[in-house]
Amino acid sequence: MILVVGHKNPDSDSICSALVTEALLTARGLEAKAVRQGELNRETQHILECAGVDQPELCTQVAGKKVWLVDYSDVAQAPDDIQHAEILGIIDHHRLGDIMTTNPLEAWIWPVGCTCTILFNLLQLENVAITPSMATLMMSAILSDTVGFASPTCTDKDKQAVEALATLANVDDLDAFIKALLIAKTDIEGLSAAELVEKDLKAYSFNGRDVVVGQIELATLDQVDSMIDALNQDLQRRCDEQNLAFAAVMLTDITSAQTRLIYTGEWASKLDKHQHEGVLMMANTLSRKKQGWPWLQAQLGE
Ligand SMILES: [Mn+2]
């Protein structure tokens, strides 16, 4: 049995691409199962409901197993015992991470907006039939990762994939579909500061230290106005408990592409010069991968 596992703090692409990779490997005649490393966010729950698909089983231990990784290639985002697993394949659209393998592997890493865009092309390459529910999973993940095509990570391949998948998924009104998805994406009602930070938190190694950068996608920054102090305290707690050099969360208004950065840690003072009246705004920033994290690396590396 091959386990297909997305990254920690799974987002929609991480779950949808695991499910579709299971279908790809099954079509190749292999025994494969999608699993998840954590709880689903509300957007992903919405997508699985639309697709009529059950959530993958929770699995955080892969020692002794054969695995495919989807939507990451960093050790920090893998199950903790990944060094004792056999990695057979990777499908990803991030910068190449630090995963090492003992044997040759099958790797599909493309600079596109979503892992599911790569999967759509692989399914076509291998003539695998795409069911309406697989099409729903893939188009939703692409629209989520590219924020309805608005993100600078979005490529023509992503748009072409969604166009073809919308037909296969029997979606007539794409705008309404995107709107419902983005409403689910930005629904944070009732979540605590810790849950908000954890929602889409990514760990990185940088200059020999550990850092974390989360992102909360919002319809308006007002949604978290009353929580700024609590978010700061939660980031500080993570620094203390995990000896992080830096912890931040990007508060991103996906309608205006304005991001406010909340941050703390030993390296925090490197960023203070970018504050105005105590607030650090990152203008025109939607993507952590292509904008937020590269900018932070340049600042923290100084
Ligand atoms: Mn992704």
Side-chain angles (χ1 to χ4, degrees), residues 7 11-14 17 71 92-94 113-116 141 145 202 289:
H7 53 73
D11 63 359
S12 294
D13 187 23
S14 207
S17 58
D71 204 27
D92 188 26
H93 67 123
H94 295 82
C114 183
T115 302
C116 279
D145 263 12
K202 286 210 167 136
K289 177 183 15 238

Side-chain angles (χ1 to χ4, degrees), residues 1-5 17-35 56-57 66-68 70 88:
M1 173 68 72
I2 299 165
L3 299 179
V4 185
V5 60
S17 58
L19 288 163
V20 177
T21 300
E22 173 189 311
L24 172 71
L25 296 176
T26 304
R28 289 179 179 182
L30 300 165
E31 256 193 289
K33 185 169 78 169
V35 295
E57 215 173 276
K66 295 181 190 315
V67 297
W68 272 68
V70 290
L88 301 180

Side-chain angles (χ1 to χ4, degrees), residues 192-232:
S192 68
E195 286 169 331
L196 280 174
V197 171
E198 193 74 25
K199 190 169 180 262
D200 183 13
L201 189 66
K202 286 210 167 136
Y204 304 95
S205 289
F206 186 70
N207 282 349
R209 294 290 304 275
D210 293 326
V211 309
V212 295
V213 182
Q215 186 173 29
I216 306 169
E217 292 165 306
L218 302 162
T220 160
L221 293 183
D222 299 348
Q223 281 174 275
V224 285
D225 258 356
S226 64
M227 301 191 73
I228 301 297
D229 289 346
L231 290 169
N232 250 314

